[in-house]
Amino acid sequence: MNNPESARPKLRVATVSLAGCFGCHMSLLDIDERLFSLAGQVDFDRSPLTDIKELGPCDIGLIEGGLCNSENVEVLRAFRAHCKVLVAVGACAINGGLPAQRNALDIGQILLDVYRARPGLASGSAVPDDPELPLPLAQVHPIHEVVHVDHFLPGCPPSADAIWALLSALIEGREPRPDPTLIRFD
Ligand code: SF4
């Protein structure tokens, strides 16, 4: 009997956490034994699940987290350039989520408060300015404000079943049609 999974060429999937907490990645791992099926259908490119540092051409990019610094923007643009389909996974990618709580505050003042004015600091403490440090953005942004996003999967985090349903549709070449009973907006 033909196995439709083995007949399909493997897709290449990349994942990243930008300004996120890795909770959405943990939810992906919560698909449990379905990971075996996933492993038979996709190869992972750059991802916290692999040790691959350089992003190559991919079929699907899963983005967790919003944009809080210049490096996030650079990585997101690279994902958009290399991935045929980009998915915003979770509240932080879709609307900034918890990190966007800082948007009501002045980032310059926060840095001064933390590195210059906080009680107990050594004399001469200064805001770190090593050129290798990514520049913080004045505000945290959702990813669709910078690149085109093909699919949105809400939730904090989205459930493992919702992630599996979306991945299965994309792998099978179907348009994802989220089951409302699996979608949550926390
Ligand atoms: Fe973490 Fe929730 Fe943001 Fe996902 S959406 S990265 S689980 S805070």
Side-chain angles (χ1 to χ4, degrees), residues 5 9 19 42 46 51 56 74 83 86 95 97 111 119 126 140 145 178 183:
E5 290 184 8
V42 307
R46 175 179 168 164
D51 199 26
E74 196 179 310
C83 300
L86 214 57
N95 60 29
L111 291 171
V140 175
E145 289 186 2
I183 299 297

Side-chain angles (χ1 to χ4, degrees), residues 109-166:
Q109 192 59 50
I110 295 173
L111 291 171
L112 288 175
D113 288 347
V114 170
Y115 290 104
R116 297 279 301 278
R118 188 164 45 93
L121 288 174
S123 67
S125 293
V127 176
D129 63 353
D130 190 292
E132 291 216 353
L133 290 173
L135 198 63
L137 303 180
Q139 301 238 300
V140 175
H141 295 268
I143 65 170
H144 70 267
E145 289 186 2
V146 173
V147 298
H148 172 74
V149 174
D150 299 289
H151 301 285
F152 296 83
L153 193 55
C156 180
S159 69
D161 287 342
I163 295 173
W164 178 245
L166 180 133

Side-chain angles (χ1 to χ4, degrees), residues 17 19-25 64-65 89-93 96-99 155-158 186:
S17 179
C21 74
F22 288 92
C24 291
H25 276 80
E64 169 194 300
V89 182
C92 295
L98 200 56
C156 180
D186 46 5

Side-chain angles (χ1 to χ4, degrees), residues 5 11 14 26 31 34 44 47-48 71 93 99 101 104-105 120 122 127 129 132 137 142-143 155 167 171 179:
E5 290 184 8
L11 297 185
M26 291 299 113
I31 64 174
R34 290 168 292 190
F44 279 96
S47 167
E71 184 184 49
Q101 295 285 312
L105 305 171
V127 176
D129 63 353
E132 291 216 353
L137 303 180
I143 65 170
L167 272 178
I171 290 167
D179 176 348

